[in-house]
Amino acid sequence: IFNLQGKCLVVVALRLLFLVPAGVPARSGESYLKDNITVRQGDSAVLKCNVDNKVSRVAWLNRTTILFTGNEKWSLDPRVVLLNTAVTEYSIKIINVNLYDEGPYVCSILTNKKPESTKVHLIVQVPARIVNISADVSVNEGSNVSLMCLAIGRPEPSIFWKFRSSKGNRIITEGEYVEMTGITKDMSGSYDCITSNDISPPDVRTVQVTVNYPPVISRARSTGTAVGQKGVLWCEASAVPLADFQWYKGERRLFNGLNGVKIENKGKQSMLTFFNVSEEDYGNYTCVAMNTLGITNASIILYGPGAIHDVNNAALSPTSSFLLLTLVLTLSVLSKF
C-alpha cells in the first residue's frame, strides 16, 4: 500500500509539473529555445512567453520549482510577479535580480492537449567592484614596494593602475599587482586602482605612497644689504619628513629673537632676517637642514654694497668639525623620537 501511495504522489507531482491533465499520455512535445536574457545585478528581468486563445494551461518554472500556474503564484519569493500584459503574452518579472536567479526558466504551455515549452536562460552580470586593496604605504627611498588590488565582477573585470603626482598622471601597468624596486622620491604620489567590465562606471580606489628621503637643499641665496637696512637670507630644502632648520655664523648657532635676528621656518623654507644690518653682521652663514634620515647644509653670504658675490648660487660646503659633530649629535637625538 505504501509503495502504491508513493507512486501516486510522484505521478501527481509530475503531471502538475508538466501541466498534463489526468488521462492524457505525457509526450515530449515541442521545445523552443529563445535567446539568452542578460541583466545587471540589481535590475529587473522580464521573461516573456507568447500564448494564444487555444492555450488551456500555462506555467512558469525555474529548474524544478513552479513559479506560477496560470494566475496562481506558487513561488514564495516576493520579487517574482506576474505581469498584466496582453492576452497573447504570459510574462513574469523578477525584481532586483541577484546571482542566484541565474539559470534556465521554462514557460510550459498546454494547447489542444499538446504540451509545448519555451526555454529562456537568464544571465546575471555583476558590476566590477574592488574588494581588497593595499593600505597607504610610507617607505624610505631605495626600498621595494608591492601594491595589490583585487576586484570581482561578471564578466571578469580588467584592472589597471594610474600614477598621479605633481608632475602629471600616467598609466603604469595592468593587472592586480604593482612591483617597484629601489623606489625613488619621484615615485611618491597617488596610485589609482581602476577596475571595469563595462557593466557600470569603473570602480576606483587609491593607495597613497610616501617616499621618505634625507634633505636636499634646492635653493640658497646670498644677499647684499646696506648698513641700517633690513636683510634676509633664506634657503629651501626638500625632504620627507620635512626638514628642521638651524642657522649658524661660524660655529655659533643663531636663535630666533636674539642679537636682532628672526628665524622663520615655513614648510620647506627657512628665512634668517636682520632688522638693522650692522658691519658685524656681514659674513658667511650656514643653513643646516636635517631630518631622521640625514643632514645637509649650505653656505650663504650676507655682504655690503660694492662687494662682488654670486648672489644666485651659494656654495654647498661642509661645516667645521665642531659644527658637524654638534649636528650629528642633534640628529641622533631626533631619530630617537
Side-chain angles (χ1 to χ4, degrees):
I1 298 175
F2 176 79
N3 289 337
L4 181 59
Q5 290 177 340
K7 290 181 179 179
C8 290
L9 289 175
V10 171
V11 171
V12 170
L14 289 174
R15 291 190 180 280
L16 282 173
L17 179 62
F18 291 102
L19 302 173
V20 180
V24 177
R27 294 177 294 174
S28 61
E30 298 181 15
S31 178
Y32 301 95
L33 178 61
K34 305 191 76 173
D35 292 338
N36 294 337
I37 295 180
T38 302
V39 296
R40 185 174 59 181
Q41 185 182 39
D43 290 349
S44 296
V46 175
L47 309 183
K48 296 182 179 182
C49 183
N50 295 323
V51 297
D52 56 34
N53 55 10
K54 297 179 181 180
V55 172
S56 57
R57 294 187 184 181
V58 63
W60 270 105
L61 302 90
N62 177 14
R63 299 180 181 90
T64 58
T65 302
I66 300 176
L67 303 177
F68 277 92
T69 60
N71 293 324
E72 183 180 354
K73 183 175 182 179
W74 286 46
S75 172
L76 299 178
D77 192 337
R79 300 176 306 118
V80 182
V81 296
L82 185 65
L83 296 180
N84 294 320
T85 53
V87 293
T88 58
E89 186 178 308
Y90 182 68
S91 302
I92 61 172
K93 183 177 183 179
I94 305 173
I95 302 170
N96 191 22
V97 170
N98 214 323
L99 275 177
Y100 53 76
D101 296 317
E102 184 170 280
Y105 290 78
V106 178
C107 175
S108 291
I109 302 170
L110 187 65
T111 173
N112 295 330
K113 299 183 180 180
K114 177 183 177 183
E116 296 178 358
S117 63
T118 300
K119 296 181 180 179
V120 177
H121 195 91
L122 181 63
I123 299 174
V124 180
Q125 294 183 327
V126 181
R129 178 170 60 91
I130 295 171
V131 294
N132 196 5
I133 191 169
S134 298
D136 291 345
V137 178
S138 179
V139 296
N140 293 341
E141 193 171 30
S143 301
N144 298 332
V145 175
S146 177
L147 304 182
M148 175 269 296
C149 180
L150 302 180
I152 61 173
R154 298 179 66 186
E156 187 76 18
S158 62
I159 297 175
F160 64 93
W161 291 84
K162 182 170 71 173
F163 173 58
R164 294 186 290 113
S165 69
S166 58
K167 296 181 180 180
N169 306 332
R170 58 187 175 90
I171 303 298
I172 55 174
T173 189
E174 293 185 14
E176 297 176 339
Y177 296 92
V178 176
E179 303 290 346
M180 292 176 279
T181 304
I183 195 169
T184 66
K185 60 178 179 290
D186 293 332
M187 299 164 74
S188 181
S190 300
Y191 290 77
D192 295 334
C193 173
I194 305 171
T195 182
S196 174
N197 58 3
D198 297 326
I199 304 304
S200 63
D203 190 19
V204 182
R205 291 177 65 180
T206 301
V207 179
Q208 191 69 36
V209 175
T210 301
V211 180
N212 305 309
Y213 60 95
V216 177
I217 293 180
S218 54
R219 195 172 182 187
R221 184 181 180 90
S222 297
T223 302
T225 306
V227 172
Q229 301 297 312
K230 177 181 178 180
V232 179
L233 301 178
W234 62 276
C235 72
E236 181 178 299
S238 299
V240 178
L242 284 173
D244 293 317
F245 291 94
Q246 294 179 3
W247 287 88
Y248 290 82
K249 184 176 185 183
E251 296 181 350
R252 177 172 60 90
R253 181 179 175 183
L254 305 179
F255 293 93
N256 183 44
L258 298 180
N259 301 318
V261 300
K262 177 183 178 181
I263 298 175
E264 187 176 10
N265 299 327
K266 291 183 178 180
K268 60 181 183 179
Q269 292 185 349
S270 181
M271 293 180 292
L272 175 64
T273 302
F274 303 84
F275 292 102
N276 187 8
V277 172
S278 65
E279 289 285 350
E280 291 76 15
D281 291 326
Y282 293 138
N284 185 71
Y285 291 82
T286 302
C287 169
V288 178
M290 68 182 76
N291 66 9
T292 55
L293 299 179
I295 184 171
T296 188
N297 66 85
S299 179
I300 308 175
I301 300 172
L302 178 67
Y303 57 91
I308 300 176
H309 293 280
D310 181 2
V311 299
N312 293 315
N313 293 291
L316 301 181
S317 62
T319 58
S320 69
S321 58
F322 173 78
L323 178 57
L324 183 59
L325 177 61
T326 302
L327 296 175
V328 170
L329 290 175
T330 302
L331 181 60
S332 65
V333 172
L334 288 173
S335 63
K336 293 181 181 179
F337 295 96

